[in-house]
Amino acid sequence: MSHHSEVGECKVLEQERLHDEAYRWEVVSQLMQENGDAIAQFCRSWLSEGLAEEVTQEVFVAAWENLPKYRPQASLRTWLFGIARNKCQQMYRNRARRQEIGRTFLDEIHARAHADRPGSPDALMEHASQEALLADCLSQLRDEERIVLTLRYWKDMPVDDIADVMGKSVAATRKQLLRAQQRLKELMLKGVDR
């Protein structure tokens, strides 16, 4: 592997060259190659496919604009996920899009649940109401709770990576995951009783 292609974590950023647009573009291009898919997947855990694509592009534009201010307290990858998290939160706060996002959750849950069995009409009805309840309960969680659950269970992301993405310690992330599971369980039970 050539030295040139190791911008990500291996090659030391030449801080003094970050005001040079050509060098900055080289760094961002490398970041896109190494992290583009992971950032897109992260954005999809917050947003619908179309919006995730849009936000992923915004993340790399923001990285290009903000690189001169980057300070290496965090790895470039963690810094990039921080930008992605902020962009997704901004997009998510747009109330008009919440319903679309809720539907996307329901579609994903539906696709996963029905991947392997047709079942009887009664079973399908029961299942559909369970899915609707789950989507409803997920939408009632706080943003961060929903995100950690989604990254863990729908995107199968390891807890260490989730900690990186959320900018927290592994221990704090595990705690948050447990609390989020507990809250989801409580909401589901309340929903079943209604």
Side-chain angles (χ1 to χ4, degrees):
M1 194 158 146
S2 74
H3 179 71
H4 174 75
S5 67
E6 297 177 10
V7 173
E9 298 307 320
C10 313
K11 183 177 171 187
V12 177
L13 260 190
E14 297 170 49
Q15 209 73 35
E16 68 285 354
R17 288 184 64 200
L18 286 176
H19 288 283
D20 167 8
E21 294 192 354
Y23 175 70
R24 214 159 73 210
W25 181 246
E26 192 183 308
V27 172
V28 171
S29 299
Q30 192 64 43
L31 282 173
M32 280 167 71
Q33 263 181 329
E34 292 170 2
N35 302 291
D37 289 348
I39 293 287
Q41 186 176 5
F42 173 67
C43 292
R44 280 194 296 273
S45 72
W46 286 71
L47 309 159
S48 67
E49 190 77 37
L51 290 177
E53 217 167 281
E54 189 183 317
V55 172
T56 301
Q57 289 167 7
E58 286 178 21
V59 168
F60 289 104
V61 170
W64 188 83
E65 289 169 349
N66 291 302
L67 256 176
K69 293 184 275 202
Y70 169 76
R71 293 294 167 264
Q73 289 101 336
S75 72
L76 269 173
R77 181 181 165 86
T78 303
W79 176 75
L80 204 55
F81 272 103
I83 294 174
R85 188 174 68 233
N86 292 337
K87 292 271 175 207
C88 287
Q89 279 174 328
Q90 285 167 2
M91 183 71 84
Y92 192 81
R93 282 192 195 107
N94 179 334
R95 291 237 181 259
R97 294 196 167 115
R98 275 182 185 254
Q99 287 161 324
E100 181 189 343
I101 293 159
R103 278 195 301 277
T104 304
F105 262 118
L106 193 54
D107 292 345
E108 273 191 33
I109 292 165
H110 190 76
R112 290 229 168 192
H114 292 284
D116 49 10
R117 64 186 186 287
S120 70
D122 284 350
L124 286 175
M125 285 300 291
E126 171 62 25
H127 205 73
S129 72
Q130 279 295 305
E131 285 173 22
L133 176 62
L134 178 58
D136 182 47
C137 293
L138 276 169
S139 72
Q140 291 176 51
L141 294 174
R142 287 192 293 274
D143 286 356
E144 288 209 344
E145 292 173 326
R146 187 177 43 263
I147 296 309
V148 294
L149 287 173
T150 305
L151 292 177
R152 186 74 193 100
Y153 297 105
W154 279 273
K155 304 297 177 186
D156 298 321
M157 194 183 269
V159 175
D160 297 20
D161 290 356
I162 297 171
D164 256 3
V165 162
M166 301 306 283
K168 294 184 172 181
S169 70
V170 173
T173 303
R174 280 188 206 288
K175 243 184 241 163
Q176 187 174 31
L177 202 51
L178 283 170
R179 275 198 305 267
Q181 287 169 325
Q182 195 52 48
R183 273 204 12 105
L184 182 61
K185 203 183 284 178
E186 286 164 13
L187 287 166
M188 291 286 288
L189 288 171
K190 238 186 264 175
V192 169
D193 291 342
R194 262 187 290 188

